[in-house]
Amino acid sequence: MPKKDVQPPILLPARMNLAEDALTDLEIAVLEFPFAEIVADFRNSMEEVLSPNRKKKVWIPYRQLNNGLLACASTLTHGFEYFDTGDYRALAVGTVENPLRVPTPEQIHELVIIWAQEWTKQFDGKGKADQVNSVCDRFLENMAIVPTNWNWQPITPKTLIQNINAEKGLGYQAIPSFLATLLHGKKCVIRSGQREQEIQWRKVQGDGSGRTGLFLVSQAFPALYTDENGKEREGYFVYRLDFRVQTQAGRFNQNGKLKPWIFLHLSCQRYAHEPLIETNYGRDISLLMGMNEERLSGYEVDSTLIRLTIENNGREDSNLWKFQLPNLLAAFKARPLETTDNILCNPTKYGNLDNHSNWNKDEYYLVHAEGYKYEHESHKRGHSIKPGFSLQERGNIVAQVLELLNGVLISDNPMQSDIPTPSGQKTPLAMRDYEYISEPPSFTKQQKEKLTEKQIKQRVDNRRQQRQTIIADAIERALQGKPIHLFLLWRERDTFDVTYQTLRDAFLLNEGEDFPEHVKISPVWINDPNLLKPLDTAGLAPKDGQEFDKQIRNQHQMKLDAWRNFLKHNVIASIDFTTKPYCFAIIEIGQTKKKGVHPKQSIYRVVREACVLEKIGSQMVQTVRPKSSDKEDESTDTSPSYSKKTEGRILNAVLDVTLRQLGALYGLPSEVYERAGIPKEIAQNLDVIALCRQKTNQGQENIHYALAIRLRANGAVDVLFPDRNNWIPYAQAAIELGQIFSRVRCDRNYKTVQLKGIELAKFAADVLTQVSEKPTLVLIEADVWRNERGEENGGQAWFQLKNEYLLAKRDILDFQHVPGHACLYPRDHNQLSNLLGIIRFRTGDETTQYITNRQAWNENSPARDLIRLSGFYDTSVPELLHYFSIGRLPKTQKAQDTPTARELYMLDSENDEYGVNIAFKHQQMLEMLPFFIRSDFQKTEESLKSLCRVPHYLRISPAWSMGNIHSPYPMHLGKQLIKDHLCILGVEV
């Protein structure tokens, strides 16, 4: 029978245009911080006095000042936030219904002086007293002088509409804050079947440690339900709504300035109602605080909630208000905050969770984070509410918000759908995963009745045998012909048995069959149990500060030496180096999470560092425990069984080391490129290069590292490091990168792993201008590569990637500011003839939420998550193709895709399915923008789309069967390579 016509999916993005007269009634005022230079001079002088030879950093407590200001004046939009070098500004917005109400500069100056005095107290007893006192006295004298003409400055709203980057990008905070203020106190009603639910919006100040603004939350909603185990569960949640201002490359207004989109982002925020007894180590605890009476005389308050944080670092100041806020408020002579212990032990008492109208004291709402555990009937449990909303509920709420805003925001049109992603028998092998490769043949009911068990088993074994070559060839391609020697280091027999059998399954081996000729497996028993013991703290705890850290460093080195010695005698000695194999090890490391054991005591990073120093790739697994048996007759000889969770994690570990750590794909990438529409003669030679970077914090050190990954048409994967000229195989690069990080750890010289913006730009320029003789497509993220924000380097990165420049510079490479290049490269430059183009990626906050199957938000059509990897494109900028990739619904989220669940709102229930018991998650958009395109791919829109389909189709990993990966495979490989080895630097990823 002919196939029914399948309608292409409809995708409506949650991005809106701002009506031209939208900001008519908006009041905006900013107050500059005129003491920034005085503060910076004090910081510099204090650093000189405290450590003249080796500068010890002195941090400026701006966050303490801002939290103190907001704890007293909730009418501010934000305190003195960083805008540019030496430029800190406070912001306030108002509307007709919620007019501008701000403290006077004189009031603020009084608090700033007290803040400065409190700051200087930190230096009592440090350094030489006379020098420290002299610097402090001079500082306080200068701070006491009120600058002339220091006042709140009104900003004309029209200015921000005409140029979103005016006033140093003020519109990115002011416009969302205006929209939140417009909705503050407003109510809307959502309907699900016969049920109506009223939502009242309330603005919240503060969202993280960066520049802050306003967002909205609803009142708290209680939810009661019965879980799948028959237990009654309860909890509280709120609807959270963020407005985000974003721009799009090439989308300009009539003044030639970037025209903003307003993204609506809906999320679920959960509140605690039981005592908090377990947190996430090293991560602050967030609370929202509301005032119903003045905290400080003369400072107006409103019903805005303020985000405050509680320190959670395991040291003596843990579980106290962060930045010594109570001390500052006491110095302000302000009404104190409630103690953190009281709030954490009894959240219900201090938060108006049940929305009592006569609540007239301060409100405190403890915001839940994944990993928190609460006391419940003498045991601990996580939060009972699952996060997220169905697409149906998302659509209804967005529609109601647009109606409340009454024409201020104008909805965008649906996006165009691209051709379907290859599926079924037409799917190239390189797009397949282990689940497909290992899938046994299916049998009809008649076949099952006709065939014997032996015949069925024979057919299953034959299928496995036929597909063994797919796996063996994939590994051989990835290792470019070299053999692999894989060691299995085990302590407990269960760990060995499960891991070894899983290895055999990964290669689809039947009983009695051997591993491929180029794959050698060697079991090694860990004969010394001390190797698996956590690092010894000698009774010290994190609260002991430097002494604890020193003990951990010493123990790390001792354990490292012990592991290297073990590897030398038990692993290295058995390697046949004449065959030049790549060596890997799967290593049992005990249980990583134990009560009373600090994360820094883990041997995970010790083992990884020992392995890279001995030139062995590594994959750690926790000790395997069999399921407990309930049989009374212990004499019965039964094989141990293992939980699905245990078997799943061992399978993930085995596939990671045998596929991802090699960079393997089950088929040829060239076949994927042909299916994307790339001409065959190009596809069979195409290199895809991804520029990859990772940034994270290591104590006071920012780790920022980059590398390039090259996926060749034949499946080989190579890596290029900054300041290197030669590409090396992916498996080899893991060892070299680990050794780089190890040297940094030992020398404590972090410069080589702290790349600045200009260093990123140079690396990008070097890679792009040195492409090989093969046709090449380069992938790069916009984030950070376009500008490295910060005061030290002036943001010097590859700013051509910014939205305001990309259209005008789409046919050049602007590296005029980059050392070693200092020029513009035209499209026809002879060095770049093999460069087909560059694709810039954006995701996260820079892409919007969406709904499917609707042309407009107020439609009542059923919505469903995409069940296939899908591509869409946007025609709002004719000169630049904007392509959007959305992954298929992961298998882990199948609970949200039942006919009932798709229609459920949070407070709905039907057929024993409860909205609050489903963790709704929807796939993010990944924006792809091609530029610097070679002339033969510029001729038609179809040829541009074929380039975008290459990374779109490559959002797969053979080692991951749950769904699509976030980034295209080469970029995924690069990011994971860096992540794998950050632990050597003590970074938890």
Side-chain angles (χ1 to χ4, degrees):
M1 290 180 62
K3 283 187 178 179
K4 273 173 50 177
D5 287 338
V6 179
Q7 292 296 316
I10 298 172
L11 190 95
L12 181 62
R15 62 182 189 183
M16 319 293 163
N17 282 295
L18 201 59
E20 288 189 12
D21 58 350
L23 305 189
T24 305
D25 297 327
L26 172 63
E27 291 182 277
I28 307 173
V30 296
L31 183 67
E32 293 193 4
F33 187 69
F35 309 104
E37 191 174 336
I38 297 169
V39 167
D41 286 344
F42 171 66
R43 188 260 316 270
N44 295 337
S45 298
M46 192 56 70
E47 285 179 348
E48 269 309 317
V49 166
L50 293 179
S51 51
N53 298 322
R54 182 174 175 271
K55 272 204 172 184
K56 185 177 180 182
K57 286 187 177 180
V58 171
W59 298 100
I60 303 173
Y62 277 121
R63 183 61 49 212
Q64 182 198 42
L65 171 63
N66 289 335
N67 282 2
L69 286 173
L70 291 163
C72 297
S74 60
T75 54
L76 292 174
T77 298
H78 65 61
F80 292 109
E81 299 290 347
Y82 171 81
F83 269 77
D84 201 351
T85 305
D87 183 5
Y88 294 79
R89 302 189 215 169
L91 171 68
V93 299
T95 63
V96 173
E97 293 181 350
N98 293 288
L100 203 65
R101 294 183 294 160
V102 293
T104 66
E106 290 75 22
Q107 286 177 303
I108 289 176
H109 183 243
E110 288 177 10
L111 301 187
V112 168
I113 285 290
I114 295 169
W115 165 75
Q117 291 168 344
E118 290 298 302
W119 186 19
T120 59
K121 290 178 184 177
Q122 295 180 14
F123 305 105
D124 288 351
K126 295 181 180 178
K128 295 182 179 178
D130 56 338
Q131 293 179 336
V132 169
N133 292 339
S134 174
V135 170
C136 290
D137 291 345
R138 187 167 65 250
F139 169 57
L140 294 175
E141 286 171 12
N142 291 332
M143 292 292 288
I145 302 169
V146 182
T148 55
N149 302 320
W150 183 40
N151 284 303
W152 286 93
Q153 300 296 319
I155 302 292
T156 307
K158 192 175 179 182
T159 306
L160 305 182
I161 290 287
Q162 291 175 342
N163 182 5
I164 191 64
N165 289 316
E167 296 291 332
K168 298 181 179 176
L170 182 67
Y172 288 97
Q173 280 71 49
I175 293 173
S177 298
F178 157 66
L179 294 168
T181 305
L182 268 182
L183 289 177
H184 182 63
K186 295 277 182 71
K187 298 176 181 178
C188 64
V189 175
I190 58 174
R191 295 173 178 85
S192 174
Q194 299 300 310
R195 188 179 64 82
E196 290 191 350
Q197 179 182 344
E198 185 179 80
I199 294 174
Q200 182 169 9
W201 297 107
R202 183 179 190 180
K203 56 190 168 82
V204 182
Q205 196 290 326
D207 185 27
S209 58
R211 195 186 299 183
T212 56
L214 299 180
F215 61 91
L216 292 162
V217 296
S218 68
Q219 74 273 36
F221 289 99
L224 297 166
Y225 68 97
T226 304
D227 68 15
E228 50 276 5
N229 297 316
K231 292 183 178 179
E232 289 193 352
R233 308 294 294 257
E234 73 287 335
Y236 291 83
F237 75 94
V238 296
Y239 296 93
R240 171 174 170 165
L241 182 63
D242 289 79
F243 296 100
R244 295 169 180 165
V245 174
Q246 289 293 341
T247 58
Q248 188 175 4
R251 186 173 183 266
F252 297 108
N253 60 22
Q254 58 192 13
N255 303 313
K257 303 296 184 184
L258 286 170
K259 187 177 181 180
W261 287 113
I262 311 299
F263 291 178
L264 271 64
H265 185 91
L266 183 70
S267 58
C268 173
Q269 188 162 282
R270 294 167 287 173
Y271 292 156
H273 71 285
E274 297 172 314
L276 179 62
I277 56 176
E278 195 171 298
T279 60
N280 299 322
Y281 174 77
R283 296 183 182 178
D284 295 335
I285 300 166
S286 289
L287 286 100
L288 302 184
M289 183 272 294
M291 290 180 281
N292 291 297
E293 58 176 312
E294 284 185 352
R295 186 167 303 285
L296 186 59
S297 177
Y299 285 77
E300 287 194 72
V301 297
D302 62 10
S303 55
T304 304
L305 292 168
I306 306 298
R307 178 184 181 271
L308 299 175
T309 52
I310 295 175
E311 194 81 59
N312 183 34
N313 57 13
R315 301 185 188 274
E316 287 184 355
D317 55 355
S318 197
N319 280 5
L320 298 177
W321 291 111
K322 196 165 184 180
F323 309 116
Q324 299 174 315
L325 189 56
N327 295 352
L328 184 62
L329 292 176
F332 286 173
K333 296 182 178 173
R335 185 168 54 81
L337 297 169
E338 187 55 65
T339 66
T340 55
D341 277 347
N342 284 347
I343 299 168
L344 297 179
C345 290
N346 197 349
T348 306
K349 179 179 178 181
Y350 297 97
N352 187 14
L353 293 171
D354 293 313
N355 307 304
H356 298 295
S357 58
N358 59 347
W359 189 284
N360 54 18
K361 55 185 179 180
D362 286 351
E363 306 162 63
Y364 297 90
Y365 300 100
L366 174 55
V367 179
H368 174 74
E370 286 299 335
Y372 285 9
K373 293 288 188 291
Y374 305 94
E375 185 179 335
H376 178 77
E377 296 177 356
S378 73
H379 66 273
K380 63 182 180 181
R381 67 176 183 179
H383 204 286
S384 295
I385 305 291
K386 304 285 176 64
F389 308 108
S390 66
L391 288 177
Q392 204 76 4
E393 188 168 17
R394 174 192 284 180
N396 196 339
I397 291 175
V398 170
Q400 293 301 314
V401 167
L402 292 176
E403 191 173 312
L404 275 180
L405 289 171
N406 193 24
V408 170
L409 296 181
I410 302 162
S411 178
D412 188 25
N413 297 317
M415 290 182 175
Q416 305 292 312
S417 179
D418 191 22
I419 61 173
T421 305
S423 60
Q425 296 299 316
K426 296 179 180 179
T427 307
L429 266 178
M431 293 180 70
R432 296 295 193 180
D433 55 35
Y434 173 74
E435 185 177 88
Y436 168 81
I437 296 295
S438 62
E439 187 176 19
S442 58
F443 299 93
T444 64
K445 184 179 180 183
Q446 291 81 358
Q447 285 176 318
K448 288 179 181 177
E449 291 171 352
K450 183 179 177 183
L451 297 171
T452 65
E453 280 188 31
K454 185 176 180 181
Q455 288 173 320
I456 289 176
K457 183 179 183 303
Q458 186 61 51
R459 292 195 183 188
V460 171
D461 289 351
N462 289 345
R463 165 71 72 86
R464 287 168 69 94
Q465 211 165 38
Q466 290 162 9
R467 293 187 169 183
Q468 286 171 8
T469 54
I470 296 174
I471 299 168
D473 291 348
I475 291 174
E476 194 166 17
R477 277 195 304 270
L479 297 181
Q480 301 173 38
K482 284 191 174 184
I484 177 174
H485 194 159
L486 178 57
F487 293 87
L488 176 47
L489 277 59
W490 60 281
R491 175 69 189 175
E492 300 297 333
R493 172 57 63 175
D494 287 299
T495 305
F496 171 78
D497 289 344
V498 175
T499 307
Y500 187 73
Q501 183 55 50
T502 307
L503 264 173
R504 292 186 58 82
D505 290 340
F507 284 87
L508 300 184
L509 300 181
N510 296 314
E511 190 176 346
E513 292 179 338
D514 292 331
F515 286 91
E517 191 178 352
H518 59 281
V519 178
K520 183 176 181 181
I521 309 295
S522 296
V524 176
W525 186 55
I526 300 173
N527 54 15
D528 182 0
N530 292 317
L531 288 172
L532 302 184
K533 288 183 178 178
L535 304 188
D536 183 7
T537 62
L540 296 169
K543 63 183 179 62
D544 296 308
Q546 292 183 357
E547 286 299 310
F548 175 78
D549 293 339
K550 183 180 177 181
Q551 172 69 11
I552 291 292
R553 280 197 303 273
N554 291 338
Q555 283 292 305
H556 177 99
Q557 190 59 50
M558 290 173 63
K559 188 78 78 172
L560 179 66
D561 293 340
W563 266 98
R564 290 190 69 183
N565 185 58
F566 173 79
L567 292 173
K568 281 186 172 77
H569 287 89
N570 297 276
V571 175
I572 306 298
S574 62
I575 298 172
D576 180 5
F577 288 103
T578 61
T579 62
K580 298 182 179 177
Y582 284 109
C583 297
F584 291 86
I586 299 175
I587 306 169
E588 179 183 348
I589 58 167
Q591 297 295 324
T592 56
K593 288 187 177 180
K594 287 184 179 178
K595 191 173 182 180
V597 177
H598 191 275
K600 287 187 177 181
Q601 292 177 256
S602 170
I603 64 168
Y604 184 95
R605 67 190 188 107
V606 173
V607 176
R608 175 136 293 163
E609 186 173 5
C611 286
V612 297
L613 292 174
E614 300 304 330
K615 300 183 179 178
I616 301 169
S618 59
Q619 175 66 44
M620 268 65 83
V621 296
Q622 295 187 56
T623 296
V624 170
R625 305 286 186 207
K627 288 197 289 188
S628 58
S629 175
D630 295 328
K631 290 183 179 291
E632 293 182 14
D633 185 4
E634 296 182 4
S635 63
T636 307
D637 185 18
T638 57
S639 299
S641 62
Y642 306 93
S643 68
K644 284 187 176 180
K645 184 178 179 182
T646 294
E647 291 176 341
R649 68 177 173 85
I650 296 297
L651 177 62
N652 288 339
V654 165
L655 294 179
D656 190 76
V657 76
T658 57
L659 292 171
R660 199 275 303 169
Q661 290 195 37
L662 311 184
L665 288 170
Y666 284 132
L668 292 171
S670 58
E671 296 172 358
V672 178
Y673 308 154
E674 287 186 53
R675 292 305 309 274
I678 303 295
K680 186 172 184 177
E681 63 276 12
I682 294 177
Q684 291 185 343
N685 293 285
L686 181 62
D687 284 345
V688 177
I689 294 177
L691 288 158
C692 313
R693 48 159 289 279
Q694 284 286 353
K695 187 172 186 177
T696 186
N697 291 331
Q698 159 57 19
Q700 296 184 357
E701 308 292 345
N702 290 321
I703 307 301
H704 195 184
Y705 198 73
L707 47 77
I709 299 286
R710 181 178 66 192
L711 174 64
R712 313 215 83 155
N714 64 2
V717 180
D718 301 305
V719 179
L720 182 68
F721 293 125
D723 299 324
R724 303 276 183 93
N725 297 318
N726 300 323
W727 293 85
I728 60 174
Y730 186 74
Q732 178 185 338
I735 303 301
E736 294 213 13
L737 182 62
Q739 291 178 353
I740 290 170
F741 286 0
S742 179
R743 286 194 293 273
V744 167
R745 184 192 69 80
C746 292
D747 300 342
R748 305 185 79 175
N749 179 4
Y750 289 86
K751 286 185 179 178
T752 55
V753 294
Q754 292 176 322
L755 299 183
K756 301 296 184 186
I758 196 66
E759 293 169 309
L760 289 176
K762 184 177 187 313
F763 183 47
D766 291 344
V767 171
L768 287 163
T769 56
Q770 295 171 25
V771 295
S772 71
E773 71 287 350
K774 297 182 182 294
T776 303
L777 182 64
V778 175
L779 316 177
I780 187 170
E781 292 175 308
D783 189 33
V784 178
W785 291 97
R786 66 191 158 200
N787 60 302
E788 167 71 343
R789 188 181 161 200
E791 299 183 37
E792 295 179 3
N793 56 43
Q796 288 292 297
W798 190 15
F799 43 76
Q800 177 183 347
L801 294 175
K802 295 176 109 176
N803 285 341
E804 50 262 57
Y805 305 129
L806 208 50
L807 177 60
K809 297 185 177 186
R810 65 188 181 277
D811 289 322
I812 61 170
L813 297 181
D814 188 351
F815 292 126
Q816 297 179 87
H817 62 300
V818 177
H821 295 267
C823 66
L824 292 169
Y825 290 95
R827 178 58 266 193
D828 58 1
H829 194 284
N830 58 5
Q831 278 182 248
L832 304 172
S833 59
N834 288 322
L835 182 58
L836 301 187
I838 304 166
I839 297 181
R840 188 200 73 171
F841 291 85
R842 293 198 302 164
T843 190
D845 289 350
E846 296 188 64
T847 56
T848 182
Q849 291 184 337
Y850 57 86
I851 194 169
T852 60
N853 202 35
R854 288 194 191 180
Q855 299 283 349
W857 288 98
N858 57 6
E859 277 186 22
N860 195 26
S861 308
R864 183 185 182 186
D865 287 282
L866 298 165
I867 57 172
R868 290 188 183 88
L869 176 66
S870 302
F872 300 86
Y873 57 98
D874 175 14
T875 57
S876 58
V877 182
E879 301 91 343
L880 290 172
L881 175 70
H882 289 78
Y883 192 96
F884 295 88
S885 171
I886 302 179
R888 66 178 169 92
L889 183 72
K891 291 177 182 175
T892 50
Q893 295 303 119
K894 62 183 179 182
Q896 73 189 55
D897 196 41
T898 67
T900 301
R902 290 179 216 143
E903 302 288 323
L904 287 181
Y905 287 26
M906 283 291 275
L907 295 177
D908 285 346
S909 64
E910 189 175 336
N911 301 330
D912 293 327
E913 290 189 67
Y914 297 85
V916 290
N917 196 30
I918 299 174
F920 287 99
K921 293 178 184 177
H922 311 290
Q923 295 296 285
Q924 274 194 322
M925 283 185 174
L926 177 62
E927 182 199 76
M928 304 177 183
L929 192 155
F931 70 101
F932 200 69
I933 304 303
R934 203 169 74 178
S935 58
D936 53 333
F937 281 86
Q938 286 195 35
K939 292 176 182 176
T940 65
E941 184 180 80
E942 181 61 26
S943 59
L944 282 173
K945 283 191 275 187
S946 72
L947 288 176
C948 292
R949 288 181 203 127
V950 169
H952 173 55
Y953 289 179
L954 284 175
R955 288 186 61 191
I956 46 84
S957 169
W960 179 248
S961 301
M962 294 295 105
N964 297 108
I965 54 177
H966 183 70
S967 304
Y969 193 53
M971 194 170 280
H972 170 76
L973 289 176
K975 291 189 171 192
Q976 285 301 127
L977 183 62
I978 301 173
K979 274 186 180 179
D980 281 349
H981 297 91
L982 281 174
C983 62
I984 294 173
L985 296 170
V987 176
E988 286 187 62
V989 180

